[in-house]
Amino acid sequence: MFPINRPRRLRRNQKLRSMVRETQLTLDDLIYPLFAVPGNNVVKEVKSMPGIFQLSIDKIVDEAKIVRDLGIPSIILFGIPENKNIEATGAWDGRGIVQQAVEAIKKEVQDLIVIVDTCLCEYTNHGHCGYLQKDNFTGEVLNDPTLELLKKTAVSQALAGADVIAPSGMMDGFVTSIREGLDKEGFSNIPILSYAAKYASGYYGPFRDAADSSPQFGDRRTYQMDPGNAREALKEVMLDIEEGADMLMVKPALSYMDIIWRIKEITNLPVAAYNVSGEYSMVKAAAANKWIDEKQVTLETLTSFKRAGADLILTYHAKDAARWIQGK
């Protein structure tokens, strides 16, 4: 009873508040996305994502060094190939853009965990995440034939030196298929970070500019999840755990913190939150208009993902957040 109980006693100064803070954002929480493109000396800003660039491999190595020097432990790689086709050959080609980027980074940058996005949408000429029933851009995306392409893609990425495989296409059984492919080729120690609960979200728009991956017809609602569903996310997660996933992801993060919480309540596996492009760009736009304090809002948002239960955060804010965490 007041006046004995005074919660403000523990808020009196910064040192005391830090000592009793329940949730701490650290450098080890952060994963920084990078976009690899063909060419040399390419640094092309994504207009809808201020501060984010498409980078040629030489420049992506330079960026990886900056990320490492900031103390960020990991990156996730996306690739935009020179040519796209119905079979998504650029995804599983041993000399594909992501494979070359992985090799270059692993050669030049030490102590950086390289995660690779394992999907087909950047590599198909129709922008969908798998095989089509027909070649006329009006067919259904076929699940089981797509699994074979994902398996080949994961193996080629592992051969290039990837540390973690992150399948994102939301195909049924993709964890089983990729695990079988990796194990058969001697990569049983490479973990799978499954995009276990990936929603058909309106927050992906800027990413599709960055990755040149907008679908040429229809949408992805037949394989990505309905935003209104929570119990289905738990079903997807349990299936991926049974299939051998080592880590789980929720995408997007900001509007789905309840999903992060629910998943963390049912599993001890590490859970990642993807702070996606639309979430990033909204903060950048508001900050540019001086409507918000970018540093305060960014760190508050990232901390909230951890408070909801996330162990890892994929975010385009990672470099800025690392500097702010270190007081730079």
Side-chain angles (χ1 to χ4, degrees), residues 68-143:
R68 177 202 59 194
D69 292 345
L70 283 169
I72 299 168
S74 180
I75 60 171
I76 182 167
L77 281 176
F78 300 88
I80 301 93
E82 191 167 0
N83 298 301
K84 304 187 179 196
N85 55 47
I86 198 77
E87 302 249 344
T89 54
W92 43 271
D93 185 343
R95 300 307 299 162
I97 185 66
V98 163
Q99 287 81 354
Q100 291 185 61
V102 171
E103 290 177 357
I105 292 168
K106 298 303 288 186
K107 180 179 179 181
E108 299 291 335
V109 188
Q110 305 301 314
D111 301 325
L112 191 66
I113 297 296
V114 178
I115 305 170
V116 285
D117 180 77
T118 305
C119 194
L120 307 179
C121 60
E122 297 106 307
Y123 305 92
T124 57
N125 53 359
H126 47 73
H128 278 284
C129 300
Y131 262 128
L132 293 184
Q133 190 172 32
K134 300 177 182 178
D135 293 345
N136 61 3
F137 291 7
T138 60
E140 178 186 354
V141 176
L142 298 177
N143 191 91

Side-chain angles (χ1 to χ4, degrees), residues 139-187:
E140 178 186 354
V141 176
L142 298 177
N143 191 91
D144 294 7
T146 299
L147 298 181
E148 293 303 311
L149 292 186
L150 292 173
K151 182 188 297 186
K152 290 200 295 184
T153 300
V155 169
S156 72
Q157 292 169 336
L159 286 166
D163 296 300
V164 180
I165 300 296
S168 61
M170 288 298 287
M171 295 293 120
D172 294 340
F174 66 171
V175 174
T176 290
S177 183
I178 289 171
R179 186 75 271 160
E180 289 176 351
L182 292 173
D183 290 356
K184 182 179 178 181
E185 296 300 323
F187 296 111

Side-chain angles (χ1 to χ4, degrees), residues 1-13 16-18 20-22:
M1 297 286 293
F2 180 83
I4 296 174
N5 288 314
R6 293 179 179 264
R8 288 183 58 189
R9 292 185 184 120
L10 299 182
R11 304 173 193 155
R12 289 176 53 236
N13 57 60
L16 195 54
R17 290 193 296 273
S18 296
V20 299
R21 185 169 294 141
E22 299 172 25

